[in-house]
Amino acid sequence: PIIGIDMGGTSTDVSRYDGKFEYVYETQVAGVTIQTPQLDIETVAAGGGSKLKFQNGLFLVGPESAGAHPGPVCYRKGGSLAVTDANLYLGRILPEYFPKIFGASEK
């Protein structure tokens, strides 16, 4: 099977594909039941823009967002510490594969 991951600003969505699309026929969103065929995609985690804060010896995530501007600290625009910064520090993001547009001058 193929696992699809879409990490956005404040959430991470996950799906699975094993030769055919998987569907659900009933879901609940904000307490409202929706009965219609839809792809089975689950939101499982915070996104890259979710702010990190250190409190009582622990890192806490979100629900606040660093936003696109200024963005996480690694954007070099004076932003807040975020999940993207942690992923960069842990070696999960390889800067050499990204365009050189970060920083105040965007160069």
Side-chain angles (χ1 to χ4, degrees):
I2 297 171
I3 304 298
I5 297 176
D6 176 16
M7 180 179 277
T10 56
S11 66
T12 299
D13 299 326
V14 177
S15 60
R16 182 178 182 273
Y17 179 80
D18 195 10
K20 61 182 173 122
F21 293 111
E22 295 185 10
Y23 294 92
V24 294
Y25 298 92
E26 183 176 301
T27 58
Q28 252 194 359
V29 178
V32 176
T33 300
I34 301 172
Q35 295 178 322
T36 187
Q38 53 197 293
L39 291 174
D40 188 11
I41 299 171
E42 294 288 331
T43 300
V44 298
S50 295
K51 286 185 179 182
L52 288 178
K53 57 187 165 211
F54 195 71
Q55 183 176 326
N56 299 325
L58 299 171
F59 274 109
L60 302 177
V61 178
E64 300 87 5
S65 173
H69 296 286
V73 171
C74 64
Y75 284 16
R76 298 185 323 212
K77 295 181 181 180
S80 302
L81 188 64
V83 170
T84 296
D85 298 307
N87 283 326
L88 179 66
Y89 180 79
L90 293 169
R92 296 176 181 157
I93 294 175
L94 304 175
E96 58 269 22
Y97 292 103
F98 287 83
K100 308 291 185 229
I101 60 167
F102 297 101
S105 66
E106 297 190 353
K107 293 183 180 183

